[in-house]
Amino acid sequence: MSRSSGVGGAERPLGIDELLAQVRAGYRRFEPREAYDAAQGGEALLVDIRYAALRERDGLIPGALVIERNELEWRLDPRGSHRAPEAISHDLRVVVICNEGYASSLAVSSLHRLGLRRATDLVGGFQAWKAAGLPVAF
């Protein structure tokens, strides 16, 4: 990621909005219905990175793999010693879901650096999924 030069040639730090825009420019995000259809068709693995309190409060997406954000890279790296059984290949289509679609974008950037180039995230996160009337379990 490039940064603009500031006074005296020093690099100017990015703000979070700039960082999100740069990260998201590198892939296509999924809308809730598209993510649902891809998961139902066996074309994508939904990964819920919300922390426990949010899952308890708002529910779960049936069939989604729950991996809290701080464990994501370890669990999805197909070459990792702590990988989840579902992390079978770098070609795996992963749709990362956070609460509102912000932390998931940063998580996708990290997964891309691990070679999971088909990783994407859900526009609007879990809240958009729920608002779209898609399945939620308690």
Side-chain angles (χ1 to χ4, degrees):
M1 293 179 200
S2 63
R3 296 180 180 170
S4 301
S5 292
V7 177
E11 290 189 357
R12 178 180 60 81
L14 291 177
I16 189 62
D17 292 331
E18 291 172 298
L19 179 59
L20 281 170
Q22 281 188 6
V23 165
R24 290 172 175 169
Y27 66 97
R28 188 179 68 77
R29 303 175 77 205
F30 275 29
E31 295 291 334
R33 175 56 66 177
E34 181 179 17
Y36 174 80
D37 290 343
Q40 290 298 111
E43 300 165 11
L45 174 65
L46 304 180
V47 178
D48 186 344
I49 64 170
R50 295 175 300 141
Y51 53 89
L54 289 177
R55 295 190 312 269
E56 291 168 10
R57 182 189 76 190
D58 295 335
L60 298 166
I61 295 173
L65 179 62
V66 174
I67 303 175
E68 289 196 18
R69 175 63 190 99
N70 64 325
E71 298 180 359
L72 186 67
E73 291 82 358
W74 284 267
R75 305 289 287 145
L76 289 183
D77 179 1
R79 298 185 310 181
S81 59
H82 292 72
R83 73 175 183 83
E86 295 85 351
I88 56 173
S89 161
H90 283 94
D91 292 328
L92 181 66
R93 165 68 79 191
V94 175
V95 180
V96 181
I97 303 166
C98 68
N99 194 48
E100 294 182 342
Y102 297 101
S104 57
S105 295
L106 299 178
V108 166
S109 176
S110 183
L111 293 177
H112 284 178
R113 288 193 300 272
L114 284 177
L116 294 158
R117 294 283 172 209
R118 296 184 69 213
T120 187
D121 71 325
L122 186 68
V123 175
F126 179 85
Q127 296 305 321
W129 177 280
K130 189 174 176 181
L134 296 169
V136 174
F138 286 91

